[in-house]
Amino acid sequence: MTAGRRAVLAANLMAVRDRIAAAARAAGRAPEEITLVAVSKTFPAQDVAALLDLGVSDFGENRDQEAAVKVAEVAALRATAGPVPRWHFVGQVQRKKAGSVASYADVVHAVDRPGLADALGRGAAHGERELEVLLQVSLDDDDASAGRAGVAPDRVVELAEHVLGVPRLRLAGVMGLAPREGDAAVAFARLAHVAAQVRSLSVTAVVVSAGMSGDLEVAVAHGSTLVRVGTALFGDRAIKSEHGLDGPPGD
Ligand SMILES: *Cc1c(COP(=O)(O)O)cnc(C)c1O
């Protein structure tokens, strides 16, 4: 970690915090209502440690193999002192990876089917841990969603009820990605509607995970309580993918 890199991360963090605060105020909300998750995929453990020192508490990863290594590296870097990070798994979880993800993640964002919830619950039980889970809601307009992740809005309540019955899992809310094409505001409004339905099933299901580097303002305007920010904090991942460090999402 060079002083230069540390300065870049500090400046980026200040800019992102300013954007979140401005978006919150514009929506008549308190900035403290919105959790920042720093999505550190493709970036090293040293960057995570630097942001921890700067007061960031939550970090996101989307590939099991990379995440498992990085979580251990950060723990080793921080063995003696300082705040402990909360790890969010924000990518697709393959069933066979569920046990591994459940061993280090504190929050899993992309639960979209009962079998995955069951597998995460078994993994959490095995590790004698508890996991917070968010239900990923498909926000695509039509059958373009085929192949993309997420449970259809009209199936979310059913999935929520399933998760509520799985030991070791705590239903924490919902997560959504704006469609690549189309209106992010429409998508996030749809997510807010589904979030209210899920909240009515469980008082702990208060998280709305929505918004990334490019659309966090729109998400906060529509009730996001948690933004997942990678590029605006760490820089461009494309530079790294040329070196083969950025694989397909979700392993
Ligand atoms: C990578 C990723 C992000 C961060 O995206 P940026 O545009 O770099 O901020 C957020 N959410 C998920 C699910 C991701 O995979």
Side-chain angles (χ1 to χ4, degrees):
M1 168 70 45
T2 63
R5 178 62 176 160
R6 197 181 297 275
V8 166
L9 290 171
N12 289 349
L13 176 60
M14 201 177 295
V16 167
R17 289 226 187 273
D18 282 349
R19 284 178 61 190
I20 293 169
R25 277 193 300 273
R29 304 175 61 200
E32 306 80 62
E33 287 174 34
I34 295 138
T35 300
L36 170 63
V37 173
V39 180
S40 49
K41 63 190 184 197
T42 78
F43 291 95
Q46 285 76 9
D47 280 4
V48 172
L51 283 178
L52 269 169
D53 287 338
L54 291 164
V56 176
S57 53
D58 291 76
F59 295 87
E61 288 287 332
N62 76 333
R63 298 178 64 217
D64 172 59
Q65 225 178 346
E66 178 185 351
V69 170
K70 202 176 299 178
V71 168
E73 287 174 348
V74 172
L77 283 172
R78 312 289 297 183
T80 49
V84 176
R86 248 167 90 73
W87 287 102
H88 297 247
F89 197 87
V90 301
Q92 302 300 254
V93 185
Q94 288 178 6
R95 179 95 76 105
K96 64 179 189 219
K97 305 280 189 163
S100 173
V101 169
S103 72
Y104 58 78
D106 299 292
V107 188
V108 179
H109 284 234
V111 175
D112 62 358
R113 52 202 194 277
L116 175 58
D118 294 342
L120 288 168
R122 281 193 298 276
H126 183 74
E128 300 188 351
R129 308 181 74 238
E130 277 211 352
L131 279 186
E132 290 188 14
V133 303
L134 304 177
L135 308 182
Q136 182 173 0
V137 181
S138 169
L139 300 177
D140 291 302
D141 266 332
D142 46 38
D143 290 341
S145 64
R148 282 199 84 192
V151 61
D154 61 356
R155 306 292 298 278
V156 172
V157 164
E158 191 181 322
L159 180 60
E161 283 169 346
H162 181 86
V163 168
L164 286 169
V166 179
R168 301 272 178 174
L169 298 189
R170 188 141 68 83
L171 181 63
V174 296
M175 178 266 207
L177 290 165
R180 287 194 195 91
E181 277 154 41
D183 191 340
V186 170
F188 291 139
R190 191 176 294 166
L191 183 65
H193 179 75
V194 174
Q197 290 180 310
V198 172
R199 204 154 50 228
S200 74
L201 297 176
S202 170
V203 292
T204 64
V206 293
V207 176
V208 181
S209 167
M212 321 200 300
S213 294
D215 59 12
L216 73 86
E217 284 85 0
V218 188
V220 168
H222 290 87
S224 167
T225 69
L226 181 157
V227 293
R228 307 177 309 268
V229 179
T231 310
L233 284 171
F234 295 98
D236 202 341
R237 288 184 297 274
I239 296 163
K240 303 199 135 216
S241 66
E242 285 170 22
H243 303 287
L245 296 174
D246 193 5
D251 278 324

